[in-house]
Amino acid sequence: MKKLLALFLSLTLALSLAVPAFALEDPVPDTIAEEGDVYIPTDYEQGQETGFDQSYSKGYEQGLADGKLGQPNIPAYESTEGDTFDDGYADGCSLGLYIGYCDGYQEASGRDAETDAQLLAKGGVPGQVNVMFDGRCVAFPDTAPKIVNARTMIPVRAVMENLGQQVAWDPDTRTVTISSPVVEQVIYLTIGSTTATVTRGEFDKETYTLDAPAYIDGGRTMVPLRFLSETCGYTVLWDKDFRTAVVVDDDALLAEIDSKFTHLNDLLASQMQSQAGKKYQQVDTLSGKVTLYDENGKAVPCPFSAAATSYTDGRSCKMELSFNLKEAITALVETFPELSEGLNVDLGTALRTDLSKIPATILLTGDGKVYFQMPLLNKLMELENENTWLCLGSTGMDLSQPESLTIGQAVLAPLLTDSNAFYCQEALDLSVAMLEAMFGDQAAKVSGSSVTWTLDGKALAAAMGTELDEESAALLDTFSMVMTKDKSGAYNITGSWKADLEGAALALDLKCKGDLTGGTGAFSCSIQDLFALELSTTTTIKTVTTLPSLTLPAGAVVEDLGI
């Protein structure tokens, strides 16, 4: 349940787009005392330290033994969530055993125990290069993949037959051929040669230069994975943390995903086609208030507002924002003075920033990259060049033809990155399951040119599966949302959620409606005696004849955050 609460708080607070991420400390427990400059630990902390010291060495020895075998059996870390000495002792023992084990395993194997455990769970082999397809590692009974000249070389038959390709070997010419049963394509690679020949049909024949030639290892023909996979139409990702190459069949996945969202894709296509070739300006205004509670239970209102003007040609988009956080920050600092002490900076004066007008710009380029600039943030980060833009990463989508965008592309593209390659299939399965529960064909009801999707919390909990424990899943029982959308672009969304979080009442309400010319929205959520959030938005959209530049300005310095 606590995971669900943490996720809920993160999402709702992020929606405010205004309140700084200050961490408010809990009231000081009665068991803590200070005598001069000497800090007296709580009973819990004393128990935790004692338990940790007594269990660490045991965990370390277990980790050493398992690390030598490369077979992790990591002890689970569990918290009692209590505050007595015995609670602290139990938590300390559990934590010491876990950390000691991981340290011992690292010492013996030179690898991370958690990483090895996850590799084994997916059929991989710790300590070697692995190849993953469809969420599972490919088995190599005798010869493992290797890195040669920065290229992943694989036993050809084990991998390519897993990908549905046909493999043949000619001992006379020492040539391996890989052919597709679906398309007229044959790939020829000769042992020791740095060239490969690909024929497509009867008349199309091309020759390619390889960075690493095919060779024989342990009786297996080793070939370059990326060249073969991409030639066969697959995408190859590399997860350096797991030393695993992940092969993805984009076309098959897109077809499978889009088959679950035919109604939504039809509406999306109609809207995109009606907007194709046009230039748009969108103006959004947002006002809201976050209410926090001090240590005496007194409500502290923190009002804020924001405005945004966006421009798009359907391929690139530029959003110019302005935040008014003056009242919110003033209220926070006055009520919680430790915030300003922690920051050790007067935001309004030292940073010379008008807190009632904090500018920012977001830029989404046609190649899918997202850039962000906020002068205030640049100052906080002590960036020397005022024209510095932060690259937040890429959506992974090619927006050169927005009219052909589908739900499958929007879901799959952001996941096809090296940074989360090992978990790509898991993340995709969860994302699709949740979206299908909300907007899939099975949740849709068609009436003329409009479609209505009805979501209940039980369906969402079922879609999330093992990501939620039983207690958290039960909390979603009262969640509901209804969305209606038609081909003209009109939409109406309502949602509500009421639950009991360990005695604190949670309430959420959402209402928004509009069309291709604009709309309005209202959102509120609260957790009793903890916080409350209220938001209202208005949007106006119109076509324009000219647009400002939708590219990075001349002289821009880009800091890639690698997100």
Side-chain angles (χ1 to χ4, degrees), residues 201-507:
E202 186 176 353
F203 303 105
D204 188 357
K205 181 178 180 180
E206 291 186 78
T207 300
Y208 298 87
T209 300
L210 306 175
D211 294 323
Y215 65 94
I216 304 294
D217 182 9
R220 299 293 179 182
T221 303
M222 307 293 286
V223 296
L225 172 65
R226 184 175 296 276
F227 169 76
L228 284 184
S229 298
E230 293 181 349
T231 302
C232 293
Y234 301 95
T235 294
V236 179
L237 309 173
W238 172 254
D239 194 310
K240 61 181 179 60
D241 293 332
F242 289 88
R243 298 191 74 225
T244 297
V246 181
V247 183
V248 181
D249 189 343
D250 306 41
D251 293 339
L253 288 175
L254 283 174
E256 181 183 354
I257 296 171
D258 284 328
S259 69
K260 304 175 187 293
F261 300 94
T262 60
H263 297 307
L264 188 55
N265 275 332
D266 285 346
L267 294 176
L268 183 62
S270 297
Q271 180 176 326
M272 290 296 186
Q273 289 170 6
S274 69
Q275 296 177 318
K278 298 178 182 178
K279 303 178 179 69
Y280 286 91
Q281 178 194 70
Q282 177 173 318
V283 178
D284 296 278
T285 59
L286 178 149
S287 61
K289 179 177 67 176
V290 170
T291 301
L292 301 174
Y293 296 85
D294 65 15
E295 60 184 15
N296 298 316
K298 180 182 177 181
V300 182
C302 304
F304 59 89
S305 62
T309 302
S310 305
Y311 305 91
T312 181
D313 59 3
R315 294 168 174 77
S316 300
C317 179
K318 182 178 185 180
M319 178 183 289
E320 298 172 342
L321 306 101
S322 177
F323 300 100
N324 181 355
L325 307 183
K326 186 174 182 178
E327 292 183 72
I329 291 179
T330 300
L332 283 169
V333 172
E334 288 179 351
T335 307
F336 308 102
E338 65 270 21
L339 295 180
S340 59
E341 295 171 5
L343 288 173
N344 196 29
V345 66
D346 181 338
L347 290 176
T349 303
L351 299 179
R352 298 178 182 176
T353 299
D354 181 356
L355 297 179
S356 65
K357 295 180 181 179
I358 302 177
T361 305
I362 298 174
L363 185 64
L364 172 62
T365 55
D367 58 1
K369 290 187 177 180
V370 182
Y371 299 93
F372 177 78
Q373 186 192 51
M374 177 185 280
L376 173 60
L377 184 60
N378 285 0
K379 292 176 181 177
L380 286 170
M381 295 177 65
E382 298 181 347
L383 300 177
E384 295 181 2
N385 194 314
E386 294 183 356
N387 199 17
T388 297
W389 289 70
L390 305 178
C391 181
L392 304 182
S394 174
T395 64
M397 293 184 290
D398 179 5
L399 300 177
S400 60
Q401 294 182 312
E403 60 275 7
S404 63
L405 181 66
T406 68
I407 297 300
Q409 292 171 334
V411 173
L412 181 60
L415 299 177
L416 297 182
T417 63
D418 290 337
S419 60
N420 60 350
F422 189 80
Y423 303 104
C424 176
Q425 191 65 50
E426 286 183 23
L428 179 64
D429 291 343
L430 179 60
S431 298
V432 172
M434 292 180 64
L435 280 173
E436 186 178 12
M438 293 186 285
F439 307 117
D441 291 348
Q442 63 182 22
K445 182 178 180 180
V446 182
S447 177
S449 63
S450 67
V451 183
T452 298
W453 289 268
T454 301
L455 170 69
D456 64 76
K458 291 182 179 180
L460 183 58
M464 297 181 72
T466 57
E467 295 297 316
L468 289 179
D469 56 37
E470 185 175 343
E471 183 182 2
S472 300
L475 289 174
L476 286 173
D477 283 352
T478 56
F479 178 81
S480 65
M481 186 174 72
V482 178
M483 183 179 86
T484 300
K485 187 173 177 61
D486 64 30
K487 290 189 175 182
S488 70
Y491 63 89
N492 187 77
I493 304 173
T494 60
S496 66
W497 187 18
K498 297 185 185 303
D500 184 278
L501 300 178
E502 297 181 348
L506 176 148

Side-chain angles (χ1 to χ4, degrees), residues 509-523:
D509 285 290
L510 169 67
K511 295 179 181 179
C512 57
K513 62 180 180 179
D515 53 29
L516 296 182
T517 64
T520 59
F523 174 80

